[in-house]
Amino acid sequence: MSRVYNFSAGPAVLPEVVLRQAAAEMLDYQGTGMSVMEMSHRSKPFASIIETAEADLRELMAIPDNYKVLFLQGGATQQFAAIPMNLMQNKVADYIVSGSWSKKAFKEAKLYGDARCIASSEDGNFSYVPNLDNLEISPDADYVYICQNETIYGTRYPKLPDTQGKPLVSDVSSMFLSEPMNVADYGLIYGGVQKNIGPAGVVIVIVRDDLVMEDVLPFTPSIMRYSTQVAAKSLSNTPPAYGIYICGLVFKWLKEMGGLSAMQQRNQEKAAILYDYLDSSRLFKATARKEDRSLMNVPFVTGDAELDALFVAEAKNHNIESIKGHRSVGGMRASIYNAMPKEGVEALVAYMAEFEKIHG
Ligand code: PMP
């Protein structure tokens, strides 16, 4: 068996120890005589899996007691709709558009009310996070929305916007659990898990309890109401049970690795290896503004589309997979999530240096 260095933006690399444990427990989960995949979501063993997962996530992120944790389906994209449906009591929301994902969320919110784009970096091809000083927050906004780490363009908010007391809603899909966050700064944090936490099919929503309301937009499907899912403890219908189990294993792994501060340090070290090389290279160039660079997604180009294509094509020979940039921007992108070992980043930089010697 040989494993590659998988730089995919998501679904993405998972910790090998987690995959091994899942494999070992595949046929008989802890003496139950069945796989977690085969188990009733109302059974005692599954209750323990989801309760332990929530407790471990609460511990890792130091989630205050007045926040609810939900494990849902529908991906991050479904939350683009669920958020306005649940939170737009005044039918006004402010969106900061820093890339494709916040743009999509903004567009979706417009279906349900007066969503306003209060800052955008589209004019600079989303290579930076919009200026957050002097934002014109709408006095009647129900919330202010950001995508805190933009997976495609490789930017990350260097600081949070001052929302003037409005709840801050953040899509953290591509930076989930990569560093500590102060949950109390947010009204709602959410993300798909298929980048940093588990397999596709689970989205985690962390929502302050005063934002879990009965008084939602009237057409909101029951299944998409946070109040329904809070009351049912994410078990309103059959949850993505196997995915939640893997998330739980990853939470245990993160605790063993020393928690989120340790992860942040590791991620900073890994990202520095790549950015330092990019900053010194005469061939490759990072595309995001320096102050706003993501620790998780690193897009870069040579400036020559043919050379980019050659770099991507030859990467396989170096055990490097899924290094191609998103189809909307081209070039290359290295996603270096929690589970990407430092050796993987070093292998990538070694290949880049070799390529530069020949083509630079
Ligand atoms: N938000 C961000 C930041 C993402 O990177 C993605 C997926 N790449 C999404 C939302 C959409 O996620 P999903 O496919 O789970 O709906």
Side-chain angles (χ1 to χ4, degrees):
M1 185 196 69
S2 71
R3 303 253 310 152
V4 296
Y5 291 123
N6 174 10
F7 290 92
S8 169
V13 57
L14 287 171
E16 199 171 308
V17 285
V18 165
L19 297 176
R20 285 186 190 282
Q21 185 174 345
E25 293 178 336
M26 180 59 79
L27 294 179
D28 178 6
Y29 174 74
Q30 297 190 358
T32 57
M34 62 177 86
S35 168
V36 175
M37 241 183 265
E38 302 169 300
M39 191 177 277
S40 164
H41 60 292
R42 309 274 176 209
S43 66
K44 266 201 181 144
F46 187 74
S48 167
I49 286 171
I50 191 166
E51 281 162 19
T52 307
E54 176 174 338
D56 285 337
L57 181 62
R58 284 186 174 276
E59 188 182 328
L60 281 166
M61 292 183 74
I63 300 175
D65 290 343
N66 63 326
Y67 284 74
K68 304 292 184 194
V69 174
L70 301 171
F71 295 93
L72 306 176
Q73 306 198 34
T77 303
Q78 191 172 86
Q79 294 304 313
F80 295 171
I83 288 162
M85 284 181 181
N86 280 277
L87 305 188
M88 253 193 188
Q89 272 69 26
N90 292 329
K91 294 211 172 184
V92 177
D94 289 340
Y95 278 70
I96 300 177
V97 175
S98 61
S100 305
W101 298 113
S102 40
K103 193 176 170 183
K104 281 191 179 168
F106 168 57
K107 210 171 145 202
E108 184 70 18
K110 283 205 278 194
L111 297 175
Y112 310 109
D114 182 7
R116 301 173 183 164
C117 171
I118 56 165
S120 167
S121 51
E122 192 160 15
D123 60 353
N125 196 28
F126 297 127
S127 59
Y128 64 97
V129 171
N131 183 2
L132 302 174
D133 301 326
N134 310 316
L135 289 172
E136 289 197 22
I137 307 287
S138 306
D140 49 352
D142 291 306
Y143 59 90
V144 177
Y145 183 101
I146 62 172
C147 173
Q148 207 167 327
N149 186 88
E150 170 49 56
T151 324
I152 295 176
Y153 301 92
T155 60
R156 168 188 172 280
Y157 276 62
K159 62 171 186 177
L160 294 178
D162 174 2
T163 63
Q164 294 164 24
K166 308 294 181 201
L168 178 63
V169 172
S170 180
D171 173 357
V172 298
S173 296
S174 46
M175 62 178 286
F176 226 155
L177 303 179
S178 65
E179 58 181 271
M181 294 174 75
N182 183 23
V183 175
D185 290 341
Y186 303 81
L188 187 151
I189 298 170
Y190 80 99
V193 304
Q194 69 270 26
K195 297 161 194 307
N196 233 354
I197 309 181
V202 185
V203 58
I204 296 175
V205 176
I206 301 164
V207 54
R208 209 172 60 209
D209 54 14
D210 61 293
L211 299 175
V212 179
M213 293 172 276
E214 297 300 333
D215 173 27
V216 297
L217 299 188
F219 48 77
T220 308
S222 318
I223 191 74
M224 284 171 69
R225 293 176 187 226
Y226 296 137
S227 59
T228 305
Q229 295 290 4
V230 165
K233 296 188 174 213
S234 306
L235 301 179
S236 166
N237 67 332
T238 317
Y242 193 79
I244 293 168
Y245 155 71
I246 300 288
C247 291
L249 295 184
V250 171
F251 299 155
K252 292 274 184 228
W253 174 75
L254 286 168
K255 284 171 67 175
E256 272 162 33
M257 297 292 289
L260 301 192
S261 297
M263 256 6 256
Q264 178 179 38
Q265 203 183 341
R266 238 174 78 114
N267 288 328
Q268 282 167 340
E269 283 166 14
K270 282 189 304 182
I273 295 170
L274 188 47
Y275 284 123
D276 287 349
Y277 174 73
L278 283 164
D279 289 341
S280 68
S281 169
R282 287 196 286 157
L283 178 64
F284 296 101
K285 186 174 155 290
T287 54
R289 183 167 73 181
K290 218 168 188 173
E291 309 88 277
D292 303 336
R293 284 173 170 175
S294 167
L295 295 180
M296 297 282 100
N297 310 100
V298 184
F300 56 96
V301 293
T302 63
D304 173 341
E306 273 179 31
L307 263 191
D308 287 352
L310 186 67
F311 181 83
V312 170
E314 290 186 350
K316 267 196 190 339
N317 306 335
H318 300 260
N319 219 24
I320 289 167
E321 283 285 343
S322 302
I323 195 72
K324 196 166 182 233
H326 190 269
R327 59 187 188 279
S328 63
V329 289
M332 281 72 70
R333 172 178 49 174
S335 294
I336 48 176
Y337 297 121
N338 285 342
M340 170 59 67
K342 188 173 160 197
E343 295 73 35
V345 181
E346 287 167 345
L348 173 61
V349 167
Y351 168 46
M352 291 166 79
E354 192 186 309
F355 191 90
E356 179 165 353
K357 249 191 212 153
I358 302 167
H359 303 282

